[in-house]
Amino acid sequence: MSESVNRQWCLVARPTGMVQTSDFEYREAPVPVVGEGDYLVRTLYVSVDPAQRGWMNEDPGYVPPIPLGEVMRGGTISQVVESRHPDHAVGDIVSGYFGWQEYALGSAGLMGAQTITPEHPLPRYLGVLGGTGLTAYFGMLEVGQVAEGQTVLVSGAAGATGSVAAQIAKIKGCRVIGIAGGAEKCAWLTGELGLDAAIDYKHEQVGERLATLCPDGVNVYFDNVGGSILESAIAHMARGGRIACCGMIAGYNDAAPQPGPGNLFLLIARRITMAGFLVPDFAPRFGDARRDLSAWLTAGRLHAREDVQEGFENIPATFLRLFAGRNLGKQVLKVADPTGSAA
Ligand code: NAP
């Protein structure tokens, strides 16, 4: 290990309203010393995820808040650069939660590290084959319970989770409509991804388009955004429909909660089921899901797209891209290339 400086981005302020790059501070710390039974990893790719915005808040959500002054929590693809651990050899590629820093001890990773034998490009293990792909898989199949011939609606459809969820519904023989912001994203949905229709919520009336596109209603709505789009979707659900509540990004940067959907009585009138879920609950089945996702990728039935930004200094700005809708597909940031046989 020749490097002596560990570059870090630490959380230094709890945002009220929209997250700012100034909520993070660049720091330099010594590279950790590897003790017996431990190993050192170097970050190759950092994942930025909307959920991290919630972890910055004071109130505990489903995980404890990130303490002020600490390295920003986040998923990474990393490489083992030094090891005194029998199961982690130098050169191994691992995925884990090592945060926004260049080096970390294996023992410091939240929820441990998983060794990857790369068969696909590395950023894919943060996207389709990582948390967002698994979320799409279980959200669509287990919570949404899609079946052939159904009409399926997906919001945030050009993002990491939504784009995979929508394609899984297509693979299962559904008619799929995606909602996304902007013409370029909508063209990708109906072009390369083969969706049946797309709604540009920034330039079209979602309710009007749903009335035209789904005269018999939506059977399954996979919701990534909440807010007014959720209300429009509820208004166009079919009797007995299911709403899989995956995320509510439209409200993540609100300083105060917005009023909820005004039409929840339709859940009763139309016997609609609305269920939230968190992907870690399905952890015992991740292996099976990854096998399916990988096979669909290899067979060309599932298209993956990563939006790869570069440069450690750009991590906070890359995180903010999510809330401006600047990402197409999974947003990641490349810190370094792997070395050795993984290169
Ligand atoms: P992503 O969709 O790749 O990126 C976020 C996208 O959200 C942006 O590209 C943007 O697309 C859209 N967006 C941003 N602000 C919006 C707003 N105000 N209204 C509507 N759309 C907005 O991110 P992701 O990682 O796949 O996450 C998508 C959702 O899934 C998030 O809500 C996240 O919290 C949730 N999630 C849940 C789980 C779980 O276990 N339940 C796991 C992972 C992710 P447009 O350009 O289309 O606006």
Side-chain angles (χ1 to χ4, degrees):
M1 252 308 303
S2 55
E3 252 347 288
S4 60
V5 171
N6 186 16
R7 299 189 288 167
Q8 302 177 324
W9 280 105
C10 298
L11 179 68
V12 291
R14 300 208 183 278
T16 309
M18 182 57 75
V19 54
Q20 314 281 336
T21 53
S22 56
D23 297 325
F24 308 99
E25 189 173 275
Y26 174 79
R27 291 182 185 169
E28 293 184 352
V31 173
V33 176
V34 184
E36 186 56 40
D38 212 341
Y39 58 100
L40 185 71
V41 296
R42 181 178 188 201
T43 302
L44 304 178
Y45 288 90
V46 168
S47 179
V48 292
D49 296 270
Q52 289 169 291
R53 175 62 185 83
W55 304 342
M56 296 169 74
N57 293 338
E58 183 78 62
D59 300 337
Y62 56 93
V63 290
I66 302 165
L68 283 181
E70 286 207 359
V71 172
M72 181 68 186
R73 183 188 298 151
T76 64
I77 297 293
S78 306
Q79 186 168 34
V80 179
V81 291
E82 204 180 323
S83 183
R84 299 177 70 187
H85 190 295
D87 301 334
H88 295 282
V90 170
D92 280 1
I93 303 292
V94 297
S95 69
Y97 273 81
F98 292 106
W100 291 4
Q101 58 185 337
E102 219 169 352
Y103 293 94
L105 289 175
S107 58
L110 207 74
M111 298 184 286
Q114 194 199 357
T115 301
I116 293 170
T117 309
E119 292 169 5
H120 300 275
L122 290 182
R124 214 140 284 182
Y125 292 90
L126 293 174
V128 179
L129 299 168
T132 52
L134 295 166
T135 302
Y137 183 94
F138 290 105
M140 192 53 91
L141 299 178
E142 295 297 323
V143 186
Q145 294 182 17
V146 285
E148 191 176 350
Q150 289 183 326
T151 294
V152 175
L153 178 68
V154 179
S155 58
T161 307
S163 61
V164 179
Q167 292 181 84
I168 290 172
K170 279 304 297 176
I171 289 169
K172 295 296 172 185
C174 301
R175 177 171 172 263
V176 183
I177 297 152
I179 303 176
E184 184 195 359
K185 290 187 179 187
C186 288
W188 180 56
L189 294 179
T190 53
E192 187 180 0
L193 300 199
L195 268 55
D196 298 279
I199 302 173
D200 174 359
Y201 78 94
K202 290 187 175 166
H203 301 100
E204 297 181 296
Q205 292 295 326
V206 175
E208 283 176 18
R209 291 289 323 274
L210 286 177
T212 308
L213 288 168
C214 313
D216 298 325
V218 171
N219 302 109
V220 176
Y221 173 45
F222 189 107
D223 186 21
N224 282 311
V225 302
S228 63
I229 292 177
L230 171 59
E231 188 169 84
S232 298
I234 289 172
H236 293 277
M237 292 302 292
R239 181 170 164 162
R242 301 180 66 82
I243 301 177
C245 297
C246 176
M248 300 202 166
I249 193 170
Y252 289 177
N253 286 291
D254 288 344
Q258 299 292 318
N263 55 359
L264 286 180
F265 183 76
L266 289 176
L267 268 59
I268 300 166
R270 296 192 196 151
R271 291 75 153 175
I272 297 164
T273 305
M274 196 167 168
F277 69 98
L278 279 173
V279 71
D281 296 345
F282 297 95
R285 296 168 56 198
F286 280 179
D288 291 341
R290 279 206 182 89
R291 264 189 294 282
D292 281 350
L293 291 162
S294 181
W296 289 331
L297 276 173
T298 304
R301 301 183 74 194
L302 186 58
H303 298 269
R305 187 155 174 169
E306 295 85 25
D307 181 329
V308 184
Q309 301 292 305
E310 298 213 12
F312 188 85
E313 65 283 5
N314 295 322
I315 299 176
T318 300
F319 178 49
L320 266 59
R321 288 171 64 85
L322 294 170
F323 304 106
R326 291 179 65 200
N327 63 305
L328 184 48
K330 173 63 188 153
Q331 185 73 72
V332 301
L333 180 135
K334 179 178 167 184
V335 177
D337 281 316
T339 56
S341 59

